[in-house]
Amino acid sequence: MLVIVSASNSTHPAVQLTGVRKSYDGVAAVDGLDITVERGQVLALLGPNGAGKTTTVEMCEGFVSPESGSVRVLGLDPIAQSAQLRPRIGVMLQGGGAYPGSKAGEMLRLVASYSANPLDPDWLLDCLGLDHAVKTPYRRLSGGQQQRLALACAIVGRPELVFLDEPTAGLDAQARLLVWELIDALRRDGVSVLLTTHLMDEAEQLADELVIIDHGKIVASGTASELTKQGAEGRLRFSAPAGLDLTSLAEVLPTEYSAHEEGPGSYVVVGVIEPGILVIVTSWCARQDVLATELQVDQRRLEDVFLELTGKELRR
Ligand code: ATP
């Protein structure tokens, strides 16, 4: 296990945004956000292009000042108290801050030197599969290698909280898996993480809490399973002999459920499909002396929920 966290007895949340607003040229990029990242929590911020994710993260990092509302990171103001905060947080900069000619190993050692108790840079490069690139100049690293180096720079100082803006954008499947494992290790070590992503499987895999924003506002939040279940009508499908009389099934189902024969021998029950509903339907089949085959429960995926909430039209 990675031992990253520097023990902190602070009780402040990792991040607390209250009524935060920021606009550019009179248009709100972030429009009254309230978000809390608890200590040790991994929170994923999801949203279509231009939803305000990066602006939100940049306000937490102290790079952008909010127009109104309050931003507190580990209980501190990220702009007014940035000197106190900086050694305690990790920021993943997209190619930012790198001298194109400096070598990967040198860069990480330099960042590590700012920290009182850094991780061993060589070990970290090894963990991230960058051991062969130690002497490679930054500009010669592949996009995926630059991305992993940025992640290494963000965590080498054993931060209490890490901000990751699209940490796996442009990575191949192997590198993505490696970064996922690293983020999971951060969580196990009690590090708080605020990440943005466009990948639903990434959010589902990594995050304890998901916040979907659009036009700078929260449109939904919760765990992945809460979001996929919320108010969702599901479908239970099964095959059986054609022409069954479904009146007696409708009588035993709760009133908000319906049952239809969609095509000859193809039946569907519509409603929130919970375990008890399966029991009702299969017991009813048994009473009819009917063997239901090809039983299938259609579950909403996070992607379906995301598109329902944020629409399907392309953002410009
Ligand atoms: P993406 O998924 O495309 O990265 P995002 O959710 O991170 O998008 P932001 O980058 O926060 O969205 O942008 C939110 C809105 O604010 C967009 O309309 C963007 O054009 C605008 N914006 C962001 N930064 C600036 C800036 N420095 N100047 C002017 N407009 C900006």
Side-chain angles (χ1 to χ4, degrees), residues 24 29 48-55 166 198:
Y24 292 108
N49 288 146
K53 303 179 297 294
T54 302
T55 307
E166 296 188 40
H198 286 290

Short mmCIF file of all heavy atoms in Angstrom, two decimals, residues 24 29 48-55 166 198, ligand 1:
data_model
loop_
_atom_site.label_atom_id
_atom_site.label_comp_id
_atom_site.label_asym_id
_atom_site.label_seq_id
_atom_site.Cartn_x
_atom_site.Cartn_y
_atom_site.Cartn_z
N TYR A 24 -17.79 34.60 -16.70
CA TYR A 24 -16.86 35.17 -17.68
C TYR A 24 -17.69 35.92 -18.70
O TYR A 24 -18.64 35.36 -19.25
CB TYR A 24 -16.06 34.06 -18.37
CG TYR A 24 -15.08 33.35 -17.46
CD1 TYR A 24 -15.33 32.05 -17.04
CD2 TYR A 24 -13.91 33.97 -17.02
CE1 TYR A 24 -14.43 31.38 -16.21
CE2 TYR A 24 -13.03 33.31 -16.19
CZ TYR A 24 -13.29 32.03 -15.79
OH TYR A 24 -12.41 31.38 -14.97
N ALA A 29 -20.16 30.66 -15.47
CA ALA A 29 -19.48 29.37 -15.69
C ALA A 29 -19.80 28.46 -14.51
O ALA A 29 -19.96 27.24 -14.67
CB ALA A 29 -17.98 29.58 -15.81
N PRO A 48 -21.05 17.88 -19.02
CA PRO A 48 -20.65 18.00 -20.43
C PRO A 48 -19.59 19.10 -20.61
O PRO A 48 -19.28 19.82 -19.66
CB PRO A 48 -21.95 18.39 -21.13
CG PRO A 48 -22.93 18.74 -20.08
CD PRO A 48 -22.43 18.28 -18.77
N ASN A 49 -19.04 19.22 -21.80
CA ASN A 49 -18.05 20.27 -22.09
C ASN A 49 -18.65 21.62 -21.71
O ASN A 49 -19.81 21.92 -22.04
CB ASN A 49 -17.69 20.31 -23.58
CG ASN A 49 -16.85 19.12 -24.00
OD1 ASN A 49 -16.96 18.64 -25.11
ND2 ASN A 49 -16.00 18.63 -23.13
N GLY A 50 -17.84 22.41 -21.01
CA GLY A 50 -18.28 23.77 -20.66
C GLY A 50 -19.20 23.84 -19.46
O GLY A 50 -19.75 24.90 -19.15
N ALA A 51 -19.39 22.71 -18.75
CA ALA A 51 -20.32 22.69 -17.60
C ALA A 51 -19.81 23.50 -16.42
O ALA A 51 -20.58 23.89 -15.55
CB ALA A 51 -20.59 21.26 -17.18
N GLY A 52 -18.50 23.70 -16.35
CA GLY A 52 -17.93 24.46 -15.23
C GLY A 52 -17.04 23.65 -14.31
O GLY A 52 -16.67 24.11 -13.23
N LYS A 53 -16.65 22.45 -14.74
CA LYS A 53 -15.85 21.57 -13.88
C LYS A 53 -14.46 22.16 -13.61
O LYS A 53 -14.04 22.26 -12.46
CB LYS A 53 -15.70 20.19 -14.54
CG LYS A 53 -17.00 19.50 -14.85
CD LYS A 53 -16.80 18.16 -15.53
CE LYS A 53 -16.13 18.23 -16.89
NZ LYS A 53 -16.93 18.91 -17.94
N THR A 54 -13.77 22.52 -14.70
CA THR A 54 -12.41 23.03 -14.54
C THR A 54 -12.41 24.34 -13.74
O THR A 54 -11.58 24.53 -12.86
CB THR A 54 -11.75 23.24 -15.92
OG1 THR A 54 -11.77 21.98 -16.59
CG2 THR A 54 -10.32 23.73 -15.80
N THR A 55 -13.38 25.20 -14.02
CA THR A 55 -13.47 26.46 -13.28
C THR A 55 -13.64 26.17 -11.79
O THR A 55 -13.00 26.81 -10.94
CB THR A 55 -14.66 27.30 -13.80
OG1 THR A 55 -14.54 27.42 -15.22
CG2 THR A 55 -14.71 28.67 -13.18
N GLU A 166 -9.41 15.52 -15.15
CA GLU A 166 -9.35 14.49 -16.19
C GLU A 166 -8.03 13.70 -16.14
O GLU A 166 -7.24 13.76 -17.08
CB GLU A 166 -9.55 15.12 -17.57
CG GLU A 166 -10.92 15.75 -17.72
CD GLU A 166 -11.18 16.21 -19.14
OE1 GLU A 166 -10.79 15.48 -20.07
OE2 GLU A 166 -11.76 17.29 -19.32
N HIS A 198 -14.78 12.65 -17.89
CA HIS A 198 -15.86 12.44 -18.85
C HIS A 198 -16.19 10.96 -18.95
O HIS A 198 -17.08 10.58 -19.70
CB HIS A 198 -15.45 12.95 -20.23
CG HIS A 198 -15.46 14.44 -20.33
ND1 HIS A 198 -16.62 15.18 -20.30
CD2 HIS A 198 -14.47 15.34 -20.41
CE1 HIS A 198 -16.34 16.46 -20.37
NE2 HIS A 198 -15.03 16.59 -20.44
P1 ATP B 1 -14.63 20.67 -20.40
O1 ATP B 1 -15.33 19.40 -20.10
O2 ATP B 1 -14.80 21.05 -21.84
O3 ATP B 1 -13.25 20.73 -19.91
P2 ATP B 1 -15.57 22.24 -18.13
O4 ATP B 1 -16.78 21.62 -17.50
O5 ATP B 1 -14.28 22.02 -17.47
O6 ATP B 1 -15.50 21.84 -19.66
P3 ATP B 1 -14.99 25.05 -17.86
O7 ATP B 1 -13.65 24.93 -18.52
O8 ATP B 1 -15.04 25.27 -16.41
O9 ATP B 1 -15.91 23.80 -18.24
O10 ATP B 1 -15.76 26.22 -18.61
C1 ATP B 1 -17.05 26.68 -18.20
C2 ATP B 1 -17.43 27.85 -19.09
O11 ATP B 1 -16.63 28.99 -18.75
C3 ATP B 1 -17.24 27.60 -20.57
O12 ATP B 1 -18.29 28.22 -21.25
C4 ATP B 1 -15.91 28.29 -20.88
O13 ATP B 1 -15.89 28.74 -22.21
C5 ATP B 1 -15.93 29.46 -19.89
N1 ATP B 1 -14.57 29.85 -19.45
C6 ATP B 1 -13.75 29.11 -18.69
N2 ATP B 1 -12.60 29.78 -18.46
C7 ATP B 1 -12.70 30.98 -19.09
C8 ATP B 1 -11.85 32.11 -19.24
N3 ATP B 1 -10.66 32.16 -18.66
N4 ATP B 1 -12.30 33.14 -19.98
C9 ATP B 1 -13.53 33.12 -20.56
N5 ATP B 1 -14.38 32.08 -20.46
C10 ATP B 1 -13.98 31.02 -19.75
#
